[in-house]
Amino acid sequence: MTEGSKRDRSVPLGPSTTLGRVASVKSLMRLVRHAVSAGKTGLVIANGSAGTVHLGEERRCYPETVLRQAVSLGLVTRAAGLVQASTEARNFLRRALAAAGMEGEGGFAGQHGEIVRTAVEIDGARQQVCRNLDDTPLSSLARLKDKAGAPFFPSEALGAGERLLDDFTRGQLQPRITSSWEPRLSSRGKGEAGGLADIAASALEARRRFGRAMEAMGPELSGVAADVCCFGKGLELVERERQWPVRSAKLMLRTALLALARHYAPQPRHAPRRHAHHWGTEDFRPTAEAYGSSGPS
């Protein structure tokens, strides 16, 4: 058997295919969970009766067909009288558990994201839907904490980053990564301007907002904000590309997002005037003459 065929057999498919072919999904999950809990020690195999096997010190009973199915899917290995969990076993469990409460191929989203159930209003009715909390580059940054246990990125900073991403997306500023199927000969008439004239007004306005936001952060901070919020780069990658010290990107990003938050929600220009103060010693007492009064005549 070639290495490629082993790799194809060891990768479990999605919940709509693999889980539908398995004779007993619950028995398979129970076996895989048992093997994962045993760790590197593995489970000792003992023959049972009528096509069953006993695994581990507890001698839990499983059908022989379920064990063969787990081996064929690459979830466990069977050698020298032991059953051991493979590297794909934990991923299979996460997909199967996530697929139990989700539809279609949602098991893979549950494996790589943080899925929660929430209620939204659709066509005037409240419905239960699944929401991935890691759907944006800033979702994982919201879980960072400082030494005191408080969020490292304030809520207004994260909101400003999400707003920057919205303008970046609506402005169609993403670089093209596929072939362009637009005709080479433009449909506009002779003498008509091209370029920005072919973009919708909403996209143009989003580009203007994005440009003003980048100018508000300045050239020193706008780059890291665009890399993380718009292009989805990780903090470690930003540090390597810019040759920054370790754990410095999150400080620069925090500063950039706070500056961006002030741009989106500026403070009022006319601050209340402060009352004038008069400095004096402890035994100082004001006199009437100091306030323009001559006193009693």
Side-chain angles (χ1 to χ4, degrees):
M1 184 182 295
T2 61
E3 185 67 24
S5 61
K6 290 181 180 179
R7 182 166 53 252
D8 294 340
R9 292 182 62 185
S10 64
V11 177
L13 303 178
S16 60
T17 55
T18 299
L19 298 183
R21 298 173 186 174
V22 178
S24 177
V25 179
K26 292 184 179 180
S27 298
L28 179 64
M29 292 179 59
R30 188 164 59 92
L31 188 150
V32 174
R33 190 182 296 110
H34 191 191
V36 170
S37 62
K40 298 181 179 179
T41 305
L43 301 173
V44 180
I45 303 175
N47 293 328
S49 60
T52 61
V53 293
H54 297 278
L55 301 181
E57 298 179 354
E58 306 89 346
R59 297 182 61 84
R60 298 180 184 176
C61 183
Y62 300 97
E64 178 69 27
T65 56
V66 174
L67 179 58
R68 288 199 299 265
Q69 186 75 31
V71 174
S72 66
L73 292 175
L75 302 176
V76 297
T77 58
R78 181 178 184 176
L82 290 177
V83 172
Q84 292 179 321
S86 66
T87 55
E88 293 290 337
R90 294 184 182 274
N91 294 335
F92 171 80
L93 288 177
R94 293 194 63 185
R95 285 196 297 268
L97 293 175
M102 302 180 64
E103 299 178 355
E105 299 295 329
F108 289 93
Q111 175 189 351
H112 300 288
E114 185 177 353
I115 307 299
V116 296
R117 299 192 67 87
T118 183
V120 297
E121 185 173 350
I122 301 177
D123 296 334
R126 302 287 293 180
Q127 299 182 14
Q128 291 289 330
V129 297
C130 295
R131 178 187 177 190
N132 186 7
L133 298 181
D134 286 339
D135 57 345
T136 61
L138 293 176
S139 301
S140 58
L141 299 179
R143 295 192 292 268
L144 295 179
K145 306 293 183 181
D146 57 11
K147 294 182 179 180
F152 185 79
F153 290 92
S155 58
E156 59 270 16
L158 296 175
E162 297 288 353
R163 187 170 175 179
L164 182 70
L165 176 59
D166 291 341
D167 290 336
F168 182 82
T169 304
R170 294 175 181 176
Q172 304 174 8
L173 296 174
Q174 301 92 338
R176 185 185 299 274
I177 58 177
T178 59
S179 301
S180 176
W181 297 98
E182 297 179 357
R184 297 184 60 183
L185 298 179
S186 178
S187 59
R188 63 178 182 270
K190 183 178 179 180
E192 294 183 3
L196 295 179
D198 300 330
I199 302 178
S202 59
L204 284 176
E205 184 61 28
R207 290 189 178 189
R208 295 190 184 98
R209 293 195 302 266
F210 182 81
R212 290 193 294 266
M214 298 293 282
E215 292 178 358
M217 288 184 290
E220 296 83 4
L221 301 175
S222 59
V224 62
D227 285 344
V228 176
C229 301
C230 303
F231 295 102
K233 295 183 179 180
L235 297 178
E236 296 81 2
L237 178 59
V238 172
E239 292 169 354
R240 289 196 302 267
E241 290 180 348
R242 299 175 178 269
Q243 298 182 356
W244 286 353
V246 180
R247 292 184 293 275
S248 62
K250 65 178 183 180
L251 297 175
M252 298 294 291
L253 179 61
R254 185 178 186 271
T255 305
L257 294 182
L258 289 177
L260 184 60
R262 290 192 297 270
H263 166 70
Y264 287 138
Q267 298 294 329
R269 296 182 178 180
H270 301 287
R273 294 183 178 181
R274 296 182 178 180
H275 297 288
H277 296 281
H278 184 89
W279 298 97
T281 58
E282 295 181 357
D283 58 347
F284 171 77
R285 296 293 184 272
T287 60
E289 290 78 2
Y291 293 92
S293 174
S294 58
S297 54

